[in-house]
Amino acid sequence: MKNSRRKFIKFAGMAALGWSICPSLAGARSGPRQSADRLRAERWAMVIDSEKLNDELMDKCIEACHKLHNVPDIPNDQNIKWIWKEPFYNLFHDQSHGYLKDKKSIPFLSLCNHCDNPPCVRVCPTQATFSRDDGIVLMDFHRCIGCRFCMAGCPYGSRSFNYYNPRNFLDDDDLVHDYPTREMGVVEKCEFCAHLLDQGEMPACVEASEGAILFGDLNDPNSDVRKVLQERYSLVRKPKLGTDPQVYYLI
Amino acid sequence: MYDANKIIPGLIIFALFMTFPFWYNLGADAYTTPELELPEDYERCIESTEFMRAEHMNMLDEWRDLYVREGYQEYWSELKQESYPMSLTKTCMYCHSDKEKFCDRCHNATAVDPYCWTCHIEP
Amino acid sequence: MLEKAIKGSALYWIWLLVLLAVIGVGFGAYLQQLDQGLSVTALNRDISWGLYIAQLTFLVGVAASAVMMVIPMYLHNHKAFARMLILGEFMAVATIIMCLLFVVVDLGQPQRLWNVVLYPTPSSVLFWDMVVLNGYLFLNILIGWVTLQAERKRVGPPRWIKPFIYISIPWAISIHTVTAFLYAGLPGRDFWLTASMAPSFLASAFAAGPALLILLAFAVKIFAKWDPGREAIQSLAKIVTYALAAYLFLIGCKIFTAAYSMVPDKLAHWEYLYFGLEGHTMLSVFMWVSTAAGVSALLILLFPKNRQADNILAFACVLVLISTWIEKGMGLITAGFVPTPMKEVLTYAPTGPEILITLGIYGIGFLIITVLWKVGIGVRREIEAT
């Protein structure tokens, strides 16, 4: 049901796009195409294997992500985080108890959950944050007005706001040219490396994790993520809120 | 007319204020078409010069929505019979690699201040 | 009618100049914020709304002053408000403008504000808040101006304005409801996730709005030598009393739910609010002041004799404003964010620029109230002189 509806919406959307987009190019046969290289999925999901991850690996993932996306390192509480370390207790306080001694302080990776039912998308007054067909919750930095309603809406603290001009905290010679920086006054967060997927590459943290982070199509019964979720016990953050987070933690 | 001594000076001030751009620029240099430095290694752009001159801003505006929001990655150019990434930095700036000698010259001459480069990184 | 605003005593002009100076300072601070971004504020990754949005929340409430006179007057034919109603409507205009300005200064990209209209998003409560706030502003300007003009010409208000007056009643309710829904619908914020948000917004609104109106009416009596009428003020005082009781009752209900259920996610916010957590106790000092002010105001106002003494009534109204300003403003916003989703505890204390910008907007609000009331009172004087 869900699939066929999604396909129908896709088809209708494409048909509508054909004559609604690019009014200035009407008549010309030039126009937008989808890249043949891009990785496709019905529903992208991430599985983080807490057994395989260690401190060093997590640092590598964070470094890879923040480097690739030109995330500035701001040394105060107005900082920007796309993926970061957070103790188990802080991530899963509603699923922990006083005797979880060894797990309590163990750091885990925290990032945007790319919820199936994302409150940030619901509350955004300009659709600057939106859900893609493949489940990725994306930010359109061009459109964000910086009202920060999404930050109040996100139950996972996954969103950061550019209180500063991020360029002040980035070395001009060190910038990665393939991805823009942000400007002052917009919200940003993890994007599941949508731009890499569109080029046919896997997300940066997945590549850096040496197999500790799996990434794939949850709707495909033969995908790695689907199989491992069937085999091992896993948690998601705050399931009772009904946001349906798509980052799974293997315990 | 009642209060003519107030209304007429008021109207004069208003008229002067509204025509400020004209008399402010009196005696300024006449507009000259800026010299653009075109890329040497490439003969033509992905669309005709006329089209690009008039529509490049709309095209970029459409590209950003198509790329960010609509799930399209490439632009098929009928002129070049080739696909290009819909990307300011990867496609446009690949050939027009000197922002100062291409983008800025025209934008400065026409007093346009696009905010592309607050985020996108110039080559 | 506007010409009445440009003829005034020296005191009037000095007051306007003082306000303009405050606005100027605030504007300077805003230029600094535009240049350096919201980094000049004490907002951060965890507490992403603060003083500005707190003022929005509080002032939406104050805007209720008008409807609290419209209902008795138009639905119950309570004529005592006839002379004063225009003041309530004009105060609503000023407070809604302040609300909209507080939203604008809170934006990271204010020059993109129009995106809210270009890409209307019915799923976003902020979109609806924009609709209801602007609508209420329009209604009050229209109704206030048209009825005042009619009075000046010694005729009854035109028939076509009646539907707008009746619409303005549910519309006033909607501005509080929708503003409360900004908070009440967020899944991860347990402090706000309660059905009592909208009712408690209405209750504090109907206490704070008329309380400020009473104080300003006293100010008018002293400085403009124009008496809005004792009966009107006494009726307002009764409204403040009832609303204040409801407001305190609803706070009590919320505290009971959290304290008796002992659900940590709910309780932690109230502990933070009233006792502080992990050494972060700054807000709790304010909250005790708020609660003490609210309860004492109620104890004072409950006795008709106190309400009838102008000095005591004014004092009680000041207490009401202190109580609701702290509770609806800083308390409600900060405690909604703390403890954070990661269960971290922190303190939010606004910075200098933040406070100056806030004062600047209050300056604009009082400037608008002053000018509009000057017009309103001028016209009423003209009518009453003949």
Side-chain angles (χ1 to χ4, degrees):
Chain A
M1 177 62 203
K2 201 174 180 184
N3 269 344
S4 66
R5 188 175 61 195
R6 184 169 275 167
K7 271 178 192 146
F8 173 76
I9 292 170
K10 258 188 199 167
F11 180 78
M14 302 278 204
L17 268 175
W19 47 267
S20 68
I21 50 168
C22 284
S24 68
L25 303 177
R29 270 176 297 163
S30 298
R33 298 281 187 276
Q34 285 175 327
S35 154
D37 305 331
R38 74 191 203 283
L39 297 178
R40 302 162 72 173
E42 296 274 341
R43 169 72 247 194
W44 289 114
M46 181 176 276
V47 179
I48 299 178
D49 190 339
S50 62
E51 300 284 308
K52 284 191 193 158
L53 262 190
N54 56 41
D55 220 42
E56 194 192 340
L57 266 183
M58 284 189 239
D59 287 336
K60 269 192 191 167
C61 297
I62 296 166
E63 165 73 19
C65 167
H66 286 192
K67 176 84 192 128
L68 176 72
H69 298 105
N70 295 312
V71 175
D73 186 13
I74 299 170
N76 62 34
D77 59 2
Q78 297 180 330
N79 55 347
I80 311 274
K81 295 192 271 191
W82 282 37
I83 177 169
W84 69 100
K85 287 190 279 189
E86 196 77 50
F88 178 87
Y89 171 78
N90 298 66
L91 285 188
F92 297 101
H93 48 81
D94 50 348
Q95 301 174 55
S96 50
H97 55 79
Y99 299 98
L100 268 172
K101 278 215 174 70
D102 50 337
K103 293 266 184 197
K104 199 167 175 176
S105 55
I106 290 179
F108 272 53
L109 279 179
S110 174
L111 69 160
C112 171
N113 281 290
H114 295 271
C115 306
D116 237 9
N117 182 16
C120 54
V121 170
R122 203 174 340 165
V123 301
C124 178
T126 61
Q127 295 151 47
T129 191
F130 59 97
S131 294
R132 295 204 328 182
D133 281 352
D134 55 8
I136 296 180
V137 176
L138 211 58
M139 272 299 298
D140 185 346
F141 305 122
H142 306 107
R143 194 181 282 188
C144 173
I145 61 171
C147 70
R148 307 190 294 293
F149 204 0
C150 55
M151 294 176 80
C154 177
Y156 303 106
S158 294
R159 291 179 160 264
S160 310
F161 178 74
N162 284 280
Y163 288 97
Y164 293 93
N165 179 352
R167 293 261 175 119
N168 298 347
F169 296 86
L170 289 164
D171 187 348
D172 275 350
D173 304 323
D174 259 3
L175 293 177
V176 171
H177 285 235
D178 276 359
Y179 197 82
T181 66
R182 267 67 61 200
E183 65 186 314
M184 206 162 64
V186 299
V187 172
E188 62 183 85
K189 65 167 197 79
C190 158
E191 303 186 330
F192 265 0
C193 285
H195 62 294
L196 289 188
L197 295 172
D198 287 343
Q199 293 170 30
E201 294 167 47
M202 287 298 251
C205 61
V206 176
E207 293 289 355
S209 71
E210 299 174 11
I213 303 179
L214 299 175
F215 191 77
D217 187 353
L218 207 59
N219 278 22
D220 173 5
N222 296 316
S223 66
D224 288 352
V225 286
R226 183 77 174 266
K227 281 184 193 156
V228 76
L229 287 180
Q230 264 157 5
E231 281 159 19
R232 292 178 55 189
Y233 183 67
S234 57
L235 293 175
V236 292
R237 292 175 62 193
K238 304 190 181 178
K240 70 164 184 177
L241 298 182
T243 55
D244 209 353
Q246 297 300 320
V247 174
Y248 298 81
Y249 294 85
L250 295 177
I251 301 299
Chain B
M1 189 196 290
Y2 296 109
D3 291 329
N5 59 336
K6 283 176 194 155
I7 290 170
I8 289 169
L11 281 177
I12 292 172
I13 291 170
F14 177 76
L16 282 176
F17 187 71
M18 291 311 283
T19 52
F20 176 81
F22 296 102
W23 54 262
Y24 180 76
N25 279 324
L26 274 184
D29 293 341
Y31 177 78
T32 47
T33 311
E35 280 290 317
L36 297 190
E37 218 157 277
L38 295 170
E40 283 169 14
D41 313 340
Y42 310 94
E43 215 167 288
R44 59 205 319 192
C45 199
I46 56 169
E47 294 294 339
S48 70
T49 311
E50 293 70 34
F51 180 86
M52 291 312 286
R53 196 176 283 154
E55 297 288 343
H56 67 279
M57 64 299 267
N58 294 330
M59 189 179 205
L60 284 171
D61 192 39
E62 277 157 12
W63 275 20
R64 76 178 187 190
D65 276 356
L66 286 166
Y67 179 76
V68 178
R69 312 183 67 91
E70 312 287 351
Y72 292 90
Q73 296 80 36
E74 289 173 356
Y75 182 81
W76 170 259
S77 162
E78 195 63 20
L79 203 63
K80 304 262 278 188
Q81 291 292 310
E82 225 181 321
S83 267
Y84 294 88
M86 284 195 287
S87 164
L88 171 66
T89 42
K90 284 178 209 158
T91 299
C92 308
M93 302 310 282
Y94 182 79
C95 302
H96 302 282
S97 53
D98 197 330
K99 171 176 166 275
E100 252 121 79
K101 289 176 182 157
F102 188 74
C103 314
D104 290 354
R105 284 194 181 165
C106 250
H107 291 155
N108 290 343
T110 49
V112 174
D113 189 14
Y115 52 91
C116 310
W117 309 104
T118 51
C119 298
H120 292 278
I121 300 158
E122 39 184 297
Chain C
M1 291 188 287
L2 265 180
E3 74 279 1
K4 299 216 177 292
I6 53 170
K7 283 180 197 140
S9 63
L11 189 67
Y12 172 70
W13 288 108
I14 291 169
W15 170 239
L16 288 192
L17 282 177
V18 169
L19 288 177
L20 282 173
V22 173
I23 295 167
V25 172
F27 188 70
Y30 185 57
L31 289 180
Q32 189 196 352
Q33 183 184 296
L34 277 181
D35 183 50
Q36 295 169 27
L38 285 153
S39 63
V40 301
T41 69
L43 299 170
N44 53 58
R45 207 177 171 280
D46 294 303
I47 303 177
S48 45
W49 283 338
L51 191 60
Y52 302 146
I53 295 297
Q55 304 317 308
L56 161 75
T57 317
F58 171 71
L59 288 170
V60 166
V62 176
S65 53
V67 76
M68 278 293 101
M69 290 194 284
V70 169
I71 293 176
M73 188 166 138
Y74 286 99
L75 299 187
H76 300 285
N77 208 19
H78 185 70
K79 291 283 186 232
F81 284 137
R83 294 183 70 215
M84 209 183 159
L85 178 59
I86 188 69
L87 301 185
E89 279 160 351
F90 282 165
M91 195 170 95
V93 170
T95 42
I96 294 288
I97 289 174
M98 282 194 267
C99 288
L100 293 169
L101 287 173
F102 275 114
V103 174
V104 172
V105 298
D106 188 65
L107 293 181
Q109 290 280 337
Q111 71 276 29
R112 293 187 191 162
L113 184 62
W114 197 241
N115 278 3
V116 181
V117 181
L118 280 180
Y119 310 104
T121 312
S123 70
S124 173
V125 185
L126 197 56
F127 166 75
W128 289 110
D129 210 34
M130 180 207 69
V131 172
V132 293
L133 286 179
N134 282 296
Y136 196 58
L137 176 63
F138 165 78
L139 280 175
N140 274 290
I141 293 177
L142 181 78
I143 296 168
W145 205 255
V146 168
T147 49
L148 192 64
Q149 230 164 10
E151 280 181 54
R152 193 186 190 193
K153 294 174 188 150
R154 318 285 198 281
V155 292
R159 279 169 59 93
W160 60 265
I161 199 74
K162 272 285 167 72
F164 287 98
I165 292 173
Y166 291 132
I167 287 171
S168 80
I169 296 170
W171 205 288
I173 311 286
S174 82
I175 64 170
H176 311 296
T177 309
V178 174
T179 307
F181 284 179
L182 285 176
Y183 309 100
L186 303 177
R189 310 284 174 183
D190 280 293
F191 188 64
W192 298 335
L193 189 68
T194 158
S196 68
M197 281 291 272
S200 90
F201 268 55
L202 285 165
S204 70
F206 294 155
L212 183 61
L213 201 55
I214 291 173
L215 287 175
L216 291 179
F218 284 145
V220 163
K221 218 166 144 181
I222 295 166
F223 293 109
K225 312 266 182 302
W226 183 79
D227 188 355
R230 185 166 177 76
E231 203 193 333
I233 289 184
Q234 284 304 309
S235 300
L236 281 176
K238 267 180 226 156
I239 291 168
V240 173
T241 313
Y242 276 113
L244 182 64
Y247 151 76
L248 292 170
F249 172 71
L250 281 166
I251 293 180
C253 292
K254 288 193 212 177
I255 292 177
F256 169 81
T257 313
Y260 193 78
S261 69
M262 291 197 196
V263 175
D265 284 348
K266 283 258 173 212
L267 192 57
H269 296 283
W270 290 99
E271 284 176 330
Y272 173 71
L273 203 52
Y274 278 101
F275 305 105
L277 287 172
E278 299 173 22
H280 294 271
T281 52
M282 195 191 85
L283 191 60
S284 57
V285 179
F286 284 92
M287 277 319 286
W288 284 110
V289 171
S290 165
T291 306
V295 171
S296 0
L298 184 63
L299 290 178
I300 294 171
L301 289 173
L302 274 179
F303 298 97
K305 269 199 182 144
N306 291 338
R307 290 202 301 269
Q308 282 149 15
D310 283 0
N311 290 339
I312 301 177
L313 175 61
F315 176 68
C317 286
V318 171
L319 290 181
V320 171
L321 286 176
I322 291 173
S323 177
T324 50
W325 184 76
I326 296 173
E327 194 270 339
K328 274 283 123 22
M330 304 305 285
L332 186 87
I333 307 298
T334 315
F337 284 110
V338 184
T340 69
M342 306 285 186
K343 298 296 153 197
E344 276 150 359
V345 181
L346 36 139
T347 294
Y348 163 78
T351 60
E354 236 173 323
I355 293 170
L356 290 180
I357 292 170
T358 301
L359 289 176
I361 295 179
Y362 273 101
I364 294 173
F366 276 102
L367 186 82
I368 296 170
I369 292 187
T370 308
V371 170
L372 288 180
W373 279 30
K374 183 90 174 53
V375 172
I377 292 169
V379 170
R380 291 235 61 107
R381 271 222 185 94
E382 197 183 286
I383 300 164
E384 284 155 15
T386 54

